[in-house]
Coordinates of all heavy atoms in Angstrom, one line a residue:
A183 N -0.6 5.3 -9.3 CA -1.7 5.6 -8.4 C -1.4 6.7 -7.5 O -0.2 7.0 -7.2 CB -2.0 4.3 -7.5
R184 N -2.4 7.5 -7.1 CA -2.3 8.6 -6.1 C -3.6 8.6 -5.3 O -4.7 8.8 -5.8 CB -2.1 9.9 -6.8 CG -2.1 11.1 -5.7 CD -1.8 12.4 -6.4 NE -0.5 12.6 -6.8 CZ 0.5 13.1 -6.1 NH1 0.3 13.5 -4.8 NH2 1.7 13.3 -6.6
L185 N -3.5 8.3 -4.0 CA -4.6 8.3 -3.1 C -4.6 9.6 -2.4 O -3.9 9.9 -1.5 CB -4.5 7.1 -2.1 CG -4.3 5.7 -2.7 CD1 -4.2 4.7 -1.6 CD2 -5.4 5.4 -3.7
E186 N -5.4 10.5 -3.0 CA -5.4 11.9 -2.5 C -6.0 12.0 -1.1 O -7.1 11.6 -0.8 CB -6.2 12.8 -3.5 CG -5.5 12.9 -4.8 CD -6.2 13.9 -5.7 OE1 -7.2 14.5 -5.3 OE2 -5.7 14.1 -6.9
G187 N -5.2 12.7 -0.2 CA -5.6 12.9 1.2 C -5.8 11.7 2.0 O -6.4 11.7 3.1
Y188 N -5.3 10.5 1.6 CA -5.6 9.3 2.3 C -4.9 9.2 3.6 O -5.4 8.4 4.5 CB -5.2 8.1 1.4 CG -5.8 6.8 1.9 CD1 -7.2 6.5 1.8 CD2 -5.1 5.9 2.6 CE1 -7.8 5.4 2.3 CE2 -5.6 4.7 3.1 CZ -7.0 4.5 2.9 OH -7.6 3.3 3.5
Y189 N -3.8 9.9 3.8 CA -3.1 9.8 5.1 C -4.0 10.2 6.3 O -3.9 9.6 7.4 CB -1.9 10.6 5.1 CG -1.1 10.6 6.4 CD1 -0.4 9.4 6.8 CD2 -1.0 11.6 7.3 CE1 0.2 9.3 8.0 CE2 -0.4 11.5 8.5 CZ 0.3 10.4 8.9 OH 0.9 10.3 10.1
A190 N -5.0 11.0 6.0 CA -5.9 11.5 7.1 C -6.8 10.3 7.6 O -7.3 10.4 8.7 CB -6.8 12.6 6.6
S191 N -6.9 9.3 6.8 CA -7.7 8.1 7.2 C -7.0 7.1 8.0 O -7.6 6.1 8.5 CB -8.4 7.5 6.0 OG -7.4 6.8 5.2
I192 N -5.7 7.3 8.2 CA -4.9 6.3 9.0 C -5.2 6.5 10.5 O -5.0 7.6 11.1 CB -3.4 6.5 8.8 CG1 -3.0 6.4 7.3 CG2 -2.6 5.5 9.6 CD1 -3.4 5.1 6.7
G193 N -5.8 5.5 11.1 CA -6.3 5.6 12.5 C -5.2 5.4 13.5 O -5.2 6.0 14.5
D194 N -4.3 4.4 13.2 CA -3.2 4.1 14.2 C -1.9 3.8 13.4 O -1.8 2.8 12.8 CB -3.6 2.9 15.0 CG -2.6 2.7 16.2 OD1 -1.5 3.2 16.1 OD2 -2.9 1.9 17.1
R195 N -1.0 4.8 13.3 CA 0.1 4.6 12.4 C 1.1 3.5 12.9 O 1.9 3.1 12.1 CB 0.9 6.0 12.3 CG 1.5 6.4 13.6 CD 2.1 7.8 13.5 NE 2.8 8.2 14.7 CZ 4.1 8.0 14.9 NH1 4.8 7.3 14.0 NH2 4.7 8.3 16.0
R196 N 0.9 3.1 14.1 CA 1.8 2.0 14.6 C 1.2 0.6 14.4 O 1.8 -0.4 14.6 CB 2.0 2.1 16.1 CG 2.9 3.3 16.5 CD 3.2 3.3 18.0 NE 4.2 4.3 18.3 CZ 3.9 5.6 18.6 NH1 2.6 6.0 18.5 NH2 4.9 6.4 18.9
R197 N -0.1 0.6 13.8 CA -0.7 -0.7 13.6 C -1.3 -0.8 12.2 O -2.1 -1.7 11.9 CB -1.8 -1.0 14.6 CG -1.3 -1.1 16.1 CD -2.4 -1.4 17.0 NE -3.1 -2.6 16.7 CZ -2.8 -3.9 16.9 NH1 -1.6 -4.1 17.5 NH2 -3.5 -4.9 16.5
E198 N -1.0 0.1 11.3 CA -1.5 0.1 9.9 C -0.4 0.3 8.9 O 0.5 1.1 9.2 CB -2.6 1.1 9.8 CG -3.8 0.9 10.7 CD -4.9 2.0 10.6 OE1 -5.0 2.6 9.5 OE2 -5.5 2.4 11.6
M199 N -0.5 -0.3 7.8 CA 0.5 -0.1 6.7 C -0.2 -0.4 5.4 O -1.3 -0.8 5.3 CB 1.6 -1.1 6.9 CG 1.3 -2.6 7.0 SD 1.0 -3.5 5.5 CE 2.7 -3.5 4.9
L200 N 0.5 0.0 4.3 CA 0.0 -0.2 2.9 C 0.9 -1.1 2.2 O 2.2 -0.9 2.3 CB -0.2 1.2 2.2 CG -1.6 1.8 2.3 CD1 -1.8 2.3 3.7 CD2 -1.7 3.0 1.3
R201 N 0.4 -2.0 1.3 CA 1.2 -2.8 0.5 C 0.8 -2.6 -1.0 O -0.4 -2.6 -1.3 CB 1.0 -4.3 0.8 CG 1.2 -5.3 -0.3 CD 2.7 -5.6 -0.6 NE 3.3 -6.3 0.5 CZ 3.3 -7.7 0.5 NH1 2.6 -8.4 -0.4 NH2 3.9 -8.3 1.5
A202 N 1.8 -2.4 -1.8 CA 1.5 -2.2 -3.3 C 2.1 -3.4 -4.0 O 3.3 -3.8 -3.7 CB 2.1 -0.9 -3.8
E203 N 1.4 -3.9 -5.0 CA 1.9 -5.0 -5.8 C 1.7 -4.6 -7.3 O 0.7 -4.0 -7.6 CB 1.2 -6.3 -5.5 CG 1.4 -6.8 -4.1 CD 0.6 -8.1 -3.8 OE1 -0.2 -8.4 -4.7 OE2 0.9 -8.7 -2.8
L204 N 2.7 -4.9 -8.1 CA 2.6 -4.7 -9.6 C 2.5 -6.1 -10.2 O 3.4 -7.0 -10.0 CB 3.9 -4.0 -10.1 CG 4.0 -2.5 -9.8 CD1 5.2 -1.9 -10.5 CD2 2.8 -1.7 -10.1
W205 N 1.6 -6.2 -11.1 CA 1.4 -7.5 -11.8 C 1.5 -7.2 -13.3 O 0.9 -6.2 -13.9 CB 0.0 -8.0 -11.5 CG -0.2 -8.5 -10.1 CD1 -0.4 -7.6 -9.0 CD2 0.0 -9.8 -9.6 NE1 -0.5 -8.4 -7.9 CE2 -0.2 -9.7 -8.2 CE3 0.2 -11.0 -10.2 CZ2 -0.2 -10.8 -7.4 CZ3 0.3 -12.1 -9.4 CH2 0.1 -12.1 -8.0
D206 N 2.2 -8.1 -14.0 CA 2.2 -8.2 -15.5 C 1.5 -9.4 -15.9 O 2.1 -10.5 -15.8 CB 3.7 -8.2 -15.9 CG 3.8 -8.1 -17.5 OD1 2.8 -8.2 -18.1 OD2 4.9 -8.0 -18.0
G207 N 0.3 -9.3 -16.2 CA -0.5 -10.5 -16.4 C -0.8 -11.2 -15.1 O -1.2 -10.6 -14.1
D208 N -0.4 -12.5 -15.0 CA -0.6 -13.3 -13.8 C 0.7 -13.4 -13.0 O 0.8 -14.2 -12.1 CB -1.1 -14.7 -14.1 CG -0.2 -15.5 -15.0 OD1 0.8 -14.9 -15.5 OD2 -0.5 -16.7 -15.3
K209 N 1.7 -12.6 -13.4 CA 3.0 -12.6 -12.7 C 3.3 -11.4 -11.9 O 3.2 -10.3 -12.4 CB 4.2 -12.8 -13.7 CG 5.5 -12.9 -13.1 CD 6.6 -13.0 -14.2 CE 8.0 -13.0 -13.6 NZ 9.1 -13.1 -14.6
K210 N 3.6 -11.5 -10.6 CA 3.9 -10.4 -9.8 C 5.3 -10.0 -10.0 O 6.2 -10.8 -9.9 CB 3.7 -10.7 -8.3 CG 3.9 -9.5 -7.4 CD 3.4 -9.7 -6.0 CE 4.2 -10.7 -5.2 NZ 3.8 -10.8 -3.8
V211 N 5.6 -8.7 -10.4 CA 6.9 -8.3 -10.8 C 7.6 -7.4 -9.8 O 8.8 -7.2 -9.8 CB 6.9 -7.6 -12.2 CG1 6.5 -8.6 -13.3 CG2 6.0 -6.4 -12.2
A212 N 6.8 -6.8 -8.9 CA 7.4 -5.9 -7.9 C 6.4 -5.7 -6.8 O 5.2 -5.8 -7.0 CB 7.8 -4.5 -8.5
E213 N 6.9 -5.3 -5.6 CA 6.0 -4.9 -4.5 C 6.8 -3.9 -3.6 O 8.0 -3.8 -3.7 CB 5.6 -6.2 -3.7 CG 6.8 -6.8 -3.0 CD 6.4 -8.1 -2.3 OE1 5.5 -8.8 -2.8 OE2 7.0 -8.4 -1.3
D214 N 6.0 -3.2 -2.8 CA 6.6 -2.3 -1.8 C 5.6 -2.1 -0.7 O 4.4 -2.3 -0.8 CB 7.0 -1.0 -2.5 CG 7.9 -0.1 -1.6 OD1 8.6 -0.7 -0.8 OD2 7.8 1.1 -1.7

């Protein structure tokens, strides 16, 4: 995934974050 230019939409860097999850079928294998 690449969210182009998305950092400009962050309104408050001290109160917002992003979570990524990887799924293999119905099993979550990784996150960050």
